[in-house]
Amino acid sequence: MSIREKKLTFTILSVSLLTVMAGAAVAPALGVIKENFCDASDILIQLIVSTPALFIILTSLFFPLLCKLLKTKTIALTALFLYVITGVGAFFVSDIYVLLLFRALLGVSVGIMMPLSTGLLAYYFTQEEQPNLMGLSAAMNQLGGVVATLIAGLLSNIGWNYTFLVYVLGLASVILV
């Protein structure tokens, strides 16, 4: 594998690392978040975790159209910037409905990144390389969930909103792209 291919692989895998973080990262902080939004119903609090998944599904349906309209790098950078802005933006929110809007937009960004991260492996690499890389992509996916959950749990000890700073990790992928 050439140095260019190694850099490309590392970049694509860094995007794979971020995708599971959308919902999983915030889960350990739901109790602390509930304390802050004590007037909000339990369902609204639970939507903080599940809203991104709904919007991931909806966005994935429109992904092929997006690919016809924009170049790959533009799609990747747009999704990554949206990911960081909406993920970290929740840190500054004090209204549950605005928080849910940020979570929905985070889901949109992940809905773009998920098919992109696996599709690029098929596009740039040979059929012989793809199974190994798909395995690495799945491993990075799960690693991202573990790391994000740990970091978010630690950050929630500082304050409920600090949990959302875990999405700063997306900047590393922005730089790589």
Side-chain angles (χ1 to χ4, degrees), residues 1 16 28 46 67 77 92 96 99 102-103 107 118-119 160:
M1 198 181 280
S16 296
Q46 292 168 2
C67 290
L77 287 173
F92 301 101
I96 187 75
L99 178 60
F102 273 81
R103 300 295 291 162
T118 53
W160 73 270

Side-chain angles (χ1 to χ4, degrees), residues 15-71:
V15 174
S16 296
L17 184 78
L18 302 176
T19 57
V20 171
M21 289 172 52
V26 182
L30 282 183
V32 181
I33 293 171
K34 173 66 177 159
E35 288 174 15
N36 184 69
F37 296 109
C38 53
D39 294 339
S41 70
D42 287 343
I43 291 179
L44 282 177
I45 298 300
Q46 292 168 2
L47 280 173
I48 294 169
V49 173
S50 57
T51 296
L54 174 63
F55 282 85
I56 289 169
I57 294 166
L58 293 174
T59 304
S60 296
L61 296 173
F62 296 100
F63 184 75
L65 176 64
L66 190 62
C67 290
K68 290 178 184 177
L69 298 173
L70 301 170
K71 293 183 177 184

Side-chain angles (χ1 to χ4, degrees), residues 121-145:
L121 292 175
Y123 183 77
Y124 284 110
F125 296 96
T126 65
Q127 286 186 335
E128 293 79 28
E129 295 170 305
Q130 289 173 17
N132 183 42
L133 291 171
M134 291 300 268
L136 285 173
S137 177
M140 291 300 283
N141 224 298
Q142 299 309 310
L143 179 64

